Amino acid sequence: MENMQYGEELVREFLVFRGFTATLQCFDAELGTDIGKGFQVDRMLNLIFSVYIPKFQPDKLLSLLNFFKRYITSTAESAYLATLLKLELSILRCYVVHALQSGKTEKVVEFFGMKAIPYLKNPNLDPQFRIYFSREWYDALQLSVRNFFCVVFNGSRLPAILKISSEKNTVHRLKKDIKQLNLKLSQLQALLEEKEAHLIQQKSESALVPAVKKDQIGDVPTINAESLLRGMCEEGIPFCKDDQGAVASSAPLLDESESRQHYNYNAPQKFISFMSSDSICSSSYAHPGEERQGSPYTENGETALEELPEVKVDFQETFLGHTSPISRCRFSASGDNIASASVDGTVRIWTYDPSTPSSRNATIYCGTEITALDWDCKSDRLLLIGTADGRIKAWNVDAKRVVCDLSTSKQFSRVLDVKCSPVEPIFVSAAASKGQVTNSIQTLGFASLTVWNMKTWKAMSVLPLGEDPPAITSLCFNHNGKILAASAIDGMIHMFDMAAGLQITGWPAHDSAISSILFGPDETSIFSLGIDGKIFEWSLQNPGQVLWSRNCSRFCKPTSASCRHEMALDANGKRLLVTSDLVRAPIYQVQGDMNGLRTLPHSAAITTVDWHPTLPIFLTGSADNSVRVTSIL
C-alpha cells in the first residue's frame, strides 16, 4: 500500500505524544518482522485461540470482539454483523469450556462477572453432567472464524488511518482545482472589464455622431476641413499637427468637470481629429495623461497600468468575511495570521493557510472607524487597533479579549497610526486634533506622538514636534527600533532618536501631504508616498537626495485625498506594492530595469496592501468588501 508508511508515521507520532514508549518499541519490533500488506488473518486467529483463550484474558478478548463489531458497523457491512454475533457467542463458550476443563473455576466466575453472555445463576444439573468439547468442534470453530475474517478483512479494505493520506491528497487536489478556478475567474473578470470599457467607448462615440436618416443623406453638406480649421483659428481654438500631418484640436467637447461628474474619475477626455480635407470627423479618446500607443510611460513619466504585465500567480485566496469596504489589513509577525478591518468598525483575525490552526480566529467589534492596525513585532500574540475616536485597543489573540483599552488626550481625539517597536516592548501612536469638518487628510489638526509601555500600558513620553505641528499620518521603525520615521500632512519627513527621545533630522519631501512612509531594505533610504501619487526614495546618508522615484497619480488620484493611500515592500525590498483607486494595483520594481507588474483585479478600488514578512505573498483589501491573499511566482 502506498499509504502504509504514512499511516505508520502517524501511529509513531501518536505513541510519542501519549508517552507510550514501551508500546512504540514493540511497534517498531513488529514492523521489523512484518511482511504483510493488509489485515493478517492468521495473526488475528493466533491472538484469539493461542493467547487470549489459553492465557485466560477475557477482558482483551471482549475488547477485540467489540472492535470487530465496531469495524463492521462503520463499514456499513450489516449483513456480516449477525454472523459475527454468532461467532462471538461460540468463541466465548469456547473460553468458558477451556477454563472449566483446566480447573480454573475462578476464571469462569470472573468471566460471568463481566456479563459477557447471559447465564443462569443456579442451574439444576445432573451430578453426572460433564462439560467438554470435541476436537472436531474446536477445529470447526477456528475454520468458521478464519473464513469469516477472510471475507470481511479482504485485501480491498483499508483501515481508517490509511484513508487519511488519501483524503489529504483529495483535499490538496481540490484546493489546486479551486486555485485554478479562481485564476480563471480573475482572467474572465479582467476580460469582462475590458469588454465593458470598450462598450462604453463605443456608446460615447455613437453619442458624438448626430443621427442621420437615410432620406437625408443627400442633404448632408460636405465638410471642408481647411475652412473649418481656419474658423477654429479665428475663434482662438488651438490645434497642432502630428507626424503624419494630421491636425488635431485640443478643445474638449465636454467640460472637464461635467465629464468627471458623469463618468467619475475614469471618464475619458474627448478630442476631435481631422485626417484629411474630405474625411468625416471622428472622435478619439484618451484618459488624462494617457501615453501614445507603444510607449510604457506618459509625458510626465507616469507608468500606464495597462502597459504593466499581469503578475504570475501561484495561488490566490479570497476572504469574504466583511460586509463593508476594507480599510486596513496586516500580516502578523510570522505571517500565519491576518488582521483586516472594515469601515463599519469590525476587525477580523483569520488565516489563509488550512494547515495553520484557526483557534485564534476572531471578530472584534469596535463600534467606530478603524484608522490603524499593527501586530506586536516579537510575537503574534497582541494586535493594536487604533480608532477614529481616539482609542487604542490591545487584543490578545490567545485569550480572545481586549487586554487594554487606552485613550489619547481629548485634545488629540483621532488616532492616525500606531507602530510597535521591533525590539522593545513599546509602541508609538500618532494622534491628531480635530481640524475642519472634511474627509481630506490635509485638513487634519495638530499632531501628537506618544510613546507607550506595553507592559504597564501607560504613556512614557511625548516626542517633540515643535509648536502647533501638522498632523502625522504615518510611522515606521528601523530594524533595531532606535530610529522612528514620521511623515506629516505638510510634506515633511521627521526622524527621531528613540533612545534620546529627540528629533535628529527632517526635510521637506513633498509639496502636499504624505500618506505613507517606509524604510528601505538596507535602511540607507526611506520611501514616501504623497497624496499627489508621487513616490520618492530618499537617501538617509544625504537627507533630501532622491535615489528613485515614480509617479503613480494614475492610480492614487489627488482628488481622492479622503482615502489615505498605502504602500508595502516585499521581504527582499525589491517590489513596492501601492494601493489604487482602480481595480488593479501596481507593483513597482525598486531595483533593476523592470517597469513593474499589475495585480489581478478586484471589483472595486484597492484600499490597503501588505506583504508577507518572508514569502512572496501579498494582501490587497478592497472597497468591494473582500481581502485577497496572492502568492506570486
Side-chain angles (χ1 to χ4, degrees), residues 170-186 314-318:
T170 302
V171 171
H172 180 73
R173 178 173 49 81
L174 291 175
K175 288 181 179 178
K176 187 175 181 180
D177 293 342
I178 291 173
K179 292 174 184 177
Q180 293 177 350
L181 290 174
N182 284 335
L183 183 59
K184 187 174 181 180
L185 176 61
S186 301
D314 179 24
F315 71 83
Q316 186 178 77
E317 302 287 346
T318 302

Side-chain angles (χ1 to χ4, degrees), residues 14-145:
F14 175 77
L15 294 178
V16 172
F17 173 75
R18 294 296 304 274
F20 298 153
T21 55
T23 306
L24 179 61
Q25 293 177 1
C26 295
F27 177 69
D28 289 333
E30 289 278 349
L31 288 179
T33 59
D34 179 40
I35 59 172
K37 298 299 181 182
F39 284 103
Q40 302 294 304
V41 174
D42 289 337
R43 293 195 176 190
M44 290 188 286
L45 288 175
N46 182 70
L47 194 63
I48 295 173
F49 294 103
S50 300
V51 179
Y52 291 161
I53 292 179
K55 294 185 178 182
F56 306 108
Q57 297 177 352
D59 51 344
K60 295 181 179 180
L61 179 62
L62 291 172
S63 177
L64 181 63
L65 293 173
N66 288 332
F67 162 73
F68 290 150
K69 287 187 285 186
R70 290 195 302 269
Y71 177 80
I72 291 177
T73 303
S74 64
T75 55
E77 298 287 357
S78 57
Y80 296 128
L81 185 58
T83 304
L84 177 62
L85 294 176
K86 294 179 181 179
L87 289 175
E88 178 188 28
L89 184 60
S90 298
I91 292 172
L92 295 178
R93 285 174 177 172
C94 179
Y95 175 86
V96 173
V97 172
H98 175 72
L100 290 174
Q101 284 186 336
S102 303
K104 301 288 185 178
T105 55
E106 69 279 5
K107 296 295 181 181
V108 177
V109 174
E110 178 188 359
F111 175 78
F112 284 115
M114 296 180 180
K115 298 181 180 180
I117 55 176
Y119 65 97
L120 295 176
K121 291 186 177 181
N122 299 304
N124 295 322
L125 298 177
D126 189 337
Q128 304 298 323
F129 179 77
R130 295 289 184 272
I131 298 178
Y132 68 95
F133 61 85
S134 65
R135 187 67 188 180
E136 290 79 8
W137 179 83
Y138 183 76
D139 293 340
L141 176 60
Q142 281 193 329
L143 181 60
S144 299
V145 174

Side-chain angles (χ1 to χ4, degrees), residues 555-567:
F555 322 114
C556 306
K557 301 287 183 180
T559 56
S560 63
S562 60
C563 175
R564 200 177 83 194
H565 283 279
E566 296 179 347
M567 58 181 176

Side-chain angles (χ1 to χ4, degrees), residues 355-368:
S355 63
T356 302
S358 59
S359 57
R360 290 183 167 185
N361 291 7
T363 302
I364 310 165
Y365 300 98
C366 298
T368 186

Side-chain angles (χ1 to χ4, degrees), residues 336-337 349-361 400:
D336 292 337
N337 298 104
I349 298 176
W350 50 283
T351 178
Y352 69 94
D353 188 355
S355 63
T356 302
S358 59
S359 57
R360 290 183 167 185
N361 291 7
K400 288 194 173 183

Side-chain angles (χ1 to χ4, degrees), residues 399-419:
K400 288 194 173 183
R401 64 185 182 90
V402 175
V403 294
C404 189
D405 191 353
L406 305 174
S407 178
T408 58
S409 63
K410 293 182 179 179
Q411 181 182 358
F412 303 100
S413 57
R414 182 180 178 88
V415 176
L416 295 182
D417 201 7
V418 292
K419 201 65 68 179

